[in-house]
Amino acid sequence: MNQLLKSALKYEAKGFSVIPLGQDKRPVETDEIQHLHLKWEPYQKRRPTEQEIRQWWKKWPMANIGIVTGEISNLLLVDGDDYRVPGASERIQKAIPESLLVPCQRTPRKGMHFFFAHSPGLVSRASSIPGVDIKTNGGYAAVEGSTPDGKWEWIVGLLDTDLPKLPFT
């Protein structure tokens, strides 16, 4: 079993709705035609089975790992896009109490993803803080374990701690 599949199955076992992503971070459809994508909308309502995940990574063994955000995965993502607005991630970090352990990962463009428990009523959108986006129902994110060159890197692992509630709204 390849490492990407092993990682995808670990996320699935933790209760996340896992989908395969292409190198462009979009749900993959084929290796030959990158502009066609997996119809991932059903996985906003139901988690894929272990068998589906195994079939996807058999078909696309180098697929990146995506997790659907929102109620299905009990996941809300606060995304600091430092490549667009330098210091965006730092502003998020300053808003998080020091005593709160928050799963977070560095992104390929040196931004940060901060993971919280899903908050009903919040929607995926650009926040009022420049360079900060919120992903919940209707969103997804690539996660660490996706590429062998370490484009996504956990600082505090999503599988290593419980998801805290969002400390700010």
Side-chain angles (χ1 to χ4, degrees):
M1 179 182 331
N2 84 26
Q3 188 59 45
L4 291 165
L5 174 58
K6 284 181 186 178
S7 294
L9 291 173
K10 286 180 184 178
Y11 291 115
E12 182 268 339
K14 182 86 174 192
F16 299 117
S17 184
V18 176
I19 56 173
L21 302 177
Q23 296 305 307
D24 60 358
K25 297 189 298 183
R26 297 170 121 194
V28 295
E29 172 91 8
T30 72
D31 287 329
E32 291 115 27
I33 306 172
Q34 285 293 315
H35 64 278
L36 294 176
H37 302 286
L38 175 77
K39 294 197 183 309
W40 69 280
E41 289 80 4
Y43 305 103
Q44 294 177 49
K45 303 285 185 209
R46 75 166 182 89
R47 287 186 209 66
T49 64
E50 181 180 327
Q51 182 180 4
E52 286 174 302
I53 293 169
R54 288 179 181 279
Q55 288 171 343
W56 289 334
W57 267 271
K58 183 177 180 182
K59 186 173 182 179
W60 305 301
M62 296 308 294
N64 285 323
I65 302 164
I67 295 179
V68 179
T69 56
E71 186 176 0
I72 190 70
S73 294
N74 185 35
L75 196 62
L76 180 140
L77 169 73
V78 179
D79 181 1
D81 287 332
D82 289 12
Y83 71 95
R84 285 191 302 138
V85 179
S89 295
E90 186 178 331
R91 285 191 282 285
I92 297 167
Q93 286 176 308
K94 286 181 179 178
I96 299 171
E98 286 185 32
S99 61
L100 191 62
L101 185 61
V102 177
C104 58
Q105 69 179 354
R106 185 147 322 274
T107 66
R109 293 185 179 171
K110 305 303 178 216
M112 299 273 296
H113 287 165
F114 300 87
F115 294 85
F116 298 92
H118 171 67
S119 294
L122 287 179
V123 295
S124 292
R125 61 182 169 81
S127 77
S128 59
I129 302 170
V132 177
D133 297 324
I134 294 172
K135 294 184 181 181
T136 184
N137 288 332
Y140 63 86
V143 292
E144 196 274 334
S146 291
T147 57
D149 60 359
K151 288 186 178 181
W152 288 270
E153 177 185 7
W154 287 118
I155 296 166
V156 175
L158 186 58
L159 300 176
D160 301 331
T161 187
D162 293 329
L163 291 167
K165 291 185 179 189
L166 191 67
F168 47 85
T169 53

